[in-house]
Amino acid sequence: MPNSILLTWSKHLFTPLALLALLIAAWQTRNLLIDLLNRAQLIWISLSIIAWISAHLLTTFATYLLLKTCHLHIPYPIILSIHLHRLPARYLPGGIWHTVGRMVDFHNQGAQSKQLSNFVILENGLAVGTAFLFSCPLIYHYRDFQDFWVITAISAGIGSLLGLILLPYLLNWQRWYATIAIDKVLYSLSIFFYLPIWIALSAAFISYLMAFPHLLDQVALLEVIGVYLFSWGTGFLVIFAPQGIGIFEVMAGHLLTIPLSLTELAVLIAGFRVCALIGDGMLWGIHWLFKTNR
């Protein structure tokens, strides 16, 4: 009981503390940020937002495939509508309410609780598993093999590969109380479909960084993709940091070989969340207008 109380409080406190730390760091590096923002190219910011929006459309199709993997046949337009309607919940403290809201809506569409449990495990397992799996060779290629983070990335990649292979068998095991066997063909297809999702999200991140001239002149774009995926996966695993806030920024700032201090880079990278917020807001607004004018 004390551990669960501690975990609950850590989830609620970490978000405001992480935001406070980022705001303090932003104030301390305000001169650099003002200079960078003055030189930022809006075309790249726009492309970042467009790529982020496209990732949502791809993600909802992955949801469609994973629901079918659990033998839940919900039409894609309904899944997309549910996803967009629940977008504001992503910004509630705790980091789980978008998922919770969607599960309630899927249940209203006829999904059984055991099927939804399998789906949640699959969705989260594939997201973090593919992030580490795809980032592993990129981190290995662009960093010294003796580097601690290369060893960590390789370990995470191997562990993710094994986990992705074993996951459907674990869910089909009777001890997991799965009433309907996971469709392994659709499961495999879902894994491969995460590749275009991560390409779109990485493109959004790269476009954001490209908005600042000369920032990526000395960095290979594939290296940036590897850093983004690995940092996202690390932030995802830190359960007391909703959406990896703070963890993602510091990890990406540490791994990117850009001639700025860790604090400066972390604050700059935190600005990427603004692009995500704008993209989410635009999608939700379009969906709201469409629903109200029908």
Side-chain angles (χ1 to χ4, degrees), residues 26-27 67 135 147 185 206 208 215 217 234 236:
W27 175 256
L67 287 171
S135 68
D147 190 302
V185 174
I206 290 173
Y208 168 74
L215 193 65
D217 283 355
T234 304
F236 181 91

Side-chain angles (χ1 to χ4, degrees), residues 72-109:
L72 293 168
H73 302 283
I74 302 175
Y76 175 79
I78 293 177
I79 295 172
L80 178 61
S81 179
I82 289 172
H83 178 87
L84 298 181
H85 174 67
R86 296 291 184 175
L87 270 181
R90 289 165 58 95
Y91 298 92
L92 293 175
I96 63 169
W97 301 112
H98 184 249
T99 297
V100 171
R102 289 186 302 136
M103 294 310 103
V104 171
D105 293 335
F106 291 154
H107 180 71
N108 292 336
Q109 292 291 323

Side-chain angles (χ1 to χ4, degrees), residues 132 136 148-162 230:
F132 282 135
C136 173
F148 168 78
W149 293 113
V150 172
I151 298 172
T152 303
I154 292 174
S155 302
I158 294 173
S160 295
L161 179 60
L162 292 174
F230 184 76

